[in-house]
Amino acid sequence: MSEGAARVPHVNHQMLRHLQDTNTLVSFSSDFKKLPSNESRVTSVYNLMEGCGMLPVVMQDGKSNHRSDEMREMGNYAYKTKNARVSHEFYTKSLVYAEIGTDNVSLAYANRSAVLFENGLYRECLKDIEMALKNNYPERLIPKLVVRKRKAQNLVSKQEPVDYLTPVPSIPPQDQNPLIQSASNSVRIEHSPTMGRHVVATKTIEPGEIIAIEKSFCHVLIDQLYTHCHHCLKLCYTLFPCCNCTQALFCSETCQNEANSAYHQYECPILLTILSLELEHRLMHLRLTILVRDWYSKLDQCKIKQGEIYRSDRYEEIRNLEANTAKRSVSDLFNRSVHCAALYHVLSSATSFFKERDEQFEKGFKELLLFHMQAGPCNFHEIAELKSSDGCVAKKEIGAAALPFLSMFNHSCCPNITRYGYGTTVIAVAIERINAGDQCFDNYGSHHAITAKSERKDKLRKQYLFDCACIACVNNYPLYQNLEKLYNAEYGLTWRELEMMQSGGLVSAKKVLKEMVRKINMVCEFKPNKTLGELQEVLKQCLFIFETIKTPI
């Protein structure tokens, strides 16, 4: 989320202080604990907030030429000091705040076009010039803009595309899973009382082999607001803002129209308020709940039938994810219910979402919003992006996504798969040989090589509500520095392989990947060992290179 909203005291702290000050904490907790549904929990907390006058106030978002002028001046300073990234960001901010129909709009586009030209983005430069001219760019300044346009037109054929180093992979038709939409036929979903639903190999899976390619059902941008589309999350240097708010920018009219139809018409008036309440981490849950509004009146029908294809593009799979409600404390459910009540209030008071809707619709919204707030932390995934600029590669988390099939993978502190992504599409890949009948394990952020067992178990218990009993925990696998290294020269990394990886080149990465697959197969049987860990890290680095975007800014 962006700047622009003053932070207010966290709503949870306000409610807890009120219950303590009125000596009603124990009695309310006792009554709250007995409530039978998510909807009743949210309604109970909402009534409490309303009764004590603690429902949040909706902040008014809007355009401001004064603010736009400030951003343009800061952009001018950064441009003069040749800081392309900062100047581009400030010119985009100037566009965000510019009042519709004023010179500020065209000035922002024209200034941004200069940054794009200087950094070899000639197509993007021409696009911004066109937008500046369409928005009544001051006549006295047009000759200078025309000169830039001609230069960009002459150079546009030499421009390199801003895209991933490799195209998004796909699973060949003959290898597609007949029962899982996004998976290969090398896996199946099984269920057991102790493991729940989980993913098992149906045949031998080799290191580097793709297991699944899943496009998110729902996603949200949580960072990089001024370089990534609010709707599709793609990198774009010519974003244009929503006409009404200062929090959403789009890469195309198609994305803008799709977003407005699906959710943004309701998010738009309240995004700044969500930011001020420090609830931006709940935007994913809110957007998902808004998207599936047609389900509110038929939640009892939201089931996956026996033998049905497990799909990534429908809501039934999301609704049937584990929320762990019974394992949650009263405090946990209360805090989430406070967030739900606050979001319900601002949505109902500042938008038309509940207009001409019946009581069942409102109950369905509350039920699903609190469900998503419980299921999300256990199942949703981050969206990260790798950028290469000036020879440096940096990984940045930019968003979050609901990925129904990837949520089926259980955790291990010594995983046998890894994930990498192309925007809202995430790929699961084996990092060691997985034999038929073996479970495929992801890692939820706690790896035995870098985190002590007690710390891992505490973290997993707190966020995911389970006591880890993976092979690394049961057998007390040591930290990386204490692992045994295999000194057979045939197993380890060579200087040539390390040099090839350090070059960061795509050709080198493809060659090294093949060698890593061969060597990992040789050392897997001695697991755990330091050599295997090193080889797996290089394999993952190869995959990261594949998804890297070369960026000029």
Side-chain angles (χ1 to χ4, degrees):
M1 288 292 244
S2 76
E3 58 188 31
R7 299 288 183 174
V8 300
H10 203 287
V11 64
N12 294 72
H13 300 156
Q14 294 180 53
M15 291 306 302
L16 181 59
R17 191 180 306 117
H18 169 77
L19 291 172
Q20 291 171 335
D21 291 346
T22 56
N23 295 315
T24 55
L25 179 60
V26 174
S27 60
F28 182 85
S29 297
S30 178
D31 292 339
F32 185 83
K33 187 177 182 179
K34 299 172 185 176
L35 294 174
S37 66
N38 287 327
E39 180 274 323
S40 61
R41 296 181 186 102
V42 177
T43 299
S44 173
V45 171
Y46 178 85
N47 291 337
L48 175 65
M49 295 173 71
E50 185 178 39
C52 63
M54 289 192 178
L55 290 172
V57 176
V58 177
M59 296 184 65
Q60 295 300 313
D61 196 3
K63 308 297 182 178
S64 166
N65 274 349
H66 174 70
R67 189 75 171 134
S68 176
D69 290 340
E70 290 180 339
M71 296 296 105
R72 187 170 65 254
E73 287 302 315
M74 296 174 79
N76 289 342
Y77 177 79
Y79 182 74
K80 290 174 183 176
T81 58
K82 300 188 181 301
N83 193 327
R85 184 188 62 79
V86 174
S87 60
H88 178 274
E89 180 175 318
F90 277 120
Y91 287 144
T92 302
K93 287 181 179 180
S94 181
L95 179 60
V96 164
Y97 288 106
E99 295 174 22
I100 306 302
T102 66
D103 286 353
N104 283 54
V105 174
S106 60
L107 289 172
Y109 276 121
N111 287 357
R112 194 171 68 178
S113 75
V115 180
L116 297 172
F117 181 89
E118 293 296 331
N119 287 274
L121 292 164
Y122 306 116
R123 294 187 189 90
E124 289 81 355
C125 170
L126 290 169
K127 189 174 180 180
D128 267 7
I129 289 173
E130 190 66 27
M131 291 301 295
L133 295 173
K134 280 185 178 180
N135 284 277
N136 303 314
Y137 190 59
E139 194 169 334
R140 70 184 187 280
L141 301 174
I142 288 179
K144 185 176 181 180
L145 200 61
V146 169
V147 170
R148 185 181 304 146
K149 180 178 180 179
R150 288 172 180 165
K151 289 181 178 178
Q153 287 172 330
N154 291 333
L155 294 168
V156 71
S157 61
K158 299 178 181 179
Q159 180 182 335
E160 293 185 7
V162 179
D163 207 347
Y164 298 106
L165 293 187
T166 60
V168 181
S170 61
I171 299 173
Q174 67 272 17
D175 295 330
Q176 290 175 356
N177 197 306
L179 294 177
I180 306 171
Q181 184 185 35
S182 62
S184 76
N185 56 17
S186 62
V187 293
R188 64 176 179 268
I189 297 174
E190 290 191 355
H191 180 273
S192 74
T194 55
M195 289 286 189
R197 287 183 296 173
H198 54 279
V199 180
V200 172
T202 59
K203 57 186 179 183
T204 301
I205 302 173
E206 296 295 334
E209 186 176 334
I210 291 176
I211 295 172
I213 301 173
E214 186 166 32
K215 187 168 179 59
S216 69
F217 177 85
C218 174
H219 48 261
V220 64
L221 185 69
I222 60 176
D223 201 352
Q224 308 299 294
L225 177 69
Y226 302 108
T227 53
H228 288 69
C229 179
H230 185 75
H231 182 62
C232 71
L233 274 59
K234 288 182 180 178
L235 173 66
C236 177
Y237 290 115
T238 56
L239 296 173
F240 61 89
C242 170
C243 294
N244 300 308
C245 76
T246 62
Q247 301 299 306
L249 297 99
F250 302 97
C251 67
S252 67
E253 289 187 4
T254 298
C255 275
Q256 184 182 39
N257 292 336
E258 288 179 358
N260 283 334
S261 174
Y263 58 86
H264 187 62
Q265 60 177 307
Y266 306 116
E267 284 182 358
C268 182
I270 63 174
L271 283 175
L272 196 63
T273 303
I274 291 172
L275 177 61
S276 73
L277 295 171
E278 299 186 8
L279 294 179
E280 55 265 43
H281 62 298
R282 298 303 188 192
L283 183 58
M284 174 67 183
H285 312 128
L286 176 63
R287 181 175 297 179
L288 178 55
T289 306
I290 290 173
L291 279 174
V292 299
R293 51 191 177 272
D294 291 343
W295 279 102
Y296 294 176
S297 61
K298 49 183 181 179
L299 293 181
D300 58 333
Q301 303 173 30
C302 202
K303 299 175 182 177
I304 302 174
K305 299 180 178 65
Q306 185 70 28
E308 206 170 26
I309 295 175
Y310 193 89
R311 302 188 65 88
S312 301
D313 59 0
R314 65 178 182 181
Y315 181 60
E316 287 94 324
E317 279 71 8
I318 301 289
R319 175 61 175 161
N320 284 276
L321 293 175
E322 183 56 63
N324 292 308
T325 304
K327 296 180 181 179
R328 297 185 182 277
S329 66
V330 171
S331 175
D332 178 283
L333 289 172
F334 173 75
N335 287 334
R336 295 175 196 277
S337 296
V338 170
H339 293 171
C340 286
L343 292 173
Y344 165 75
H345 173 68
V346 296
L347 189 64
S348 60
S349 59
T351 79
S352 62
F353 187 70
F354 296 105
K355 188 176 181 180
E356 298 180 356
R357 301 286 193 174
D358 58 19
E359 184 181 358
Q360 184 61 39
F361 186 86
E362 295 195 9
K363 287 184 176 181
F365 172 83
K366 295 174 185 175
E367 180 69 32
L368 288 188
L369 182 57
L370 185 50
F371 167 75
H372 294 148
M373 284 193 188
Q374 296 170 73
C378 300
N379 294 284
F380 297 167
H381 294 73
E382 80 283 354
I383 294 177
E385 188 171 87
L386 282 168
K387 290 183 181 180
S388 173
S389 182
D390 299 325
C392 299
V393 177
K395 186 174 185 179
K396 179 75 174 178
E397 183 177 344
I398 65 167
L403 300 154
F405 178 62
L406 291 184
S407 298
M408 292 292 99
F409 287 79
N410 278 336
H411 164 84
S412 172
C413 299
C414 184
N416 51 22
I417 75 157
T418 190
R419 286 176 279 112
Y420 72 107
Y422 294 78
T424 59
T425 298
V426 180
I427 295 94
V429 179
I431 56 173
E432 63 184 64
R433 180 184 289 131
I434 307 173
N435 295 318
D438 288 350
Q439 188 171 168
C440 301
F441 288 107
D442 197 356
N443 182 265
Y444 296 177
S446 296
H447 197 287
H448 82 86
I450 57 177
T451 308
K453 177 179 174 179
S454 59
E455 185 180 342
R456 297 197 312 266
K457 290 175 78 70
D458 285 347
K459 180 181 177 182
L460 292 165
R461 195 178 295 114
K462 182 178 180 180
Q463 180 172 350
Y464 298 100
L465 305 173
F466 69 85
D467 189 25
C468 188
C470 72
I471 188 172
C473 288
V474 171
N475 294 316
N476 294 308
Y477 281 8
L479 294 169
Y480 174 79
Q481 61 265 29
N482 298 322
L483 284 169
E484 179 184 355
K485 188 175 181 68
L486 304 180
Y487 287 100
N488 188 320
E490 190 178 2
Y491 297 159
L493 294 168
T494 66
W495 282 109
R496 178 175 172 275
E497 289 164 348
L498 288 172
E499 287 175 354
M500 291 173 72
M501 285 306 303
Q502 289 169 357
S503 72
L506 181 59
V507 174
S508 296
K510 289 180 177 180
K511 290 180 179 178
V512 172
L513 180 65
K514 292 181 180 179
E515 276 300 293
M516 293 307 102
V517 169
R518 184 181 69 83
K519 291 181 178 181
I520 286 171
N521 277 332
M522 296 171 69
V523 302
C524 267
E525 62 181 294
F526 306 113
K527 180 181 177 179
N529 61 78
K530 186 175 291 188
T531 305
L532 174 60
E534 291 173 347
L535 295 171
Q536 289 177 330
E537 287 305 309
V538 173
L539 185 149
K540 286 190 278 187
Q541 184 61 35
C542 292
L543 299 176
F544 291 158
I545 289 174
F546 296 166
E547 63 170 321
T548 300
I549 300 176
K550 290 185 71 174
T551 55
I553 295 180

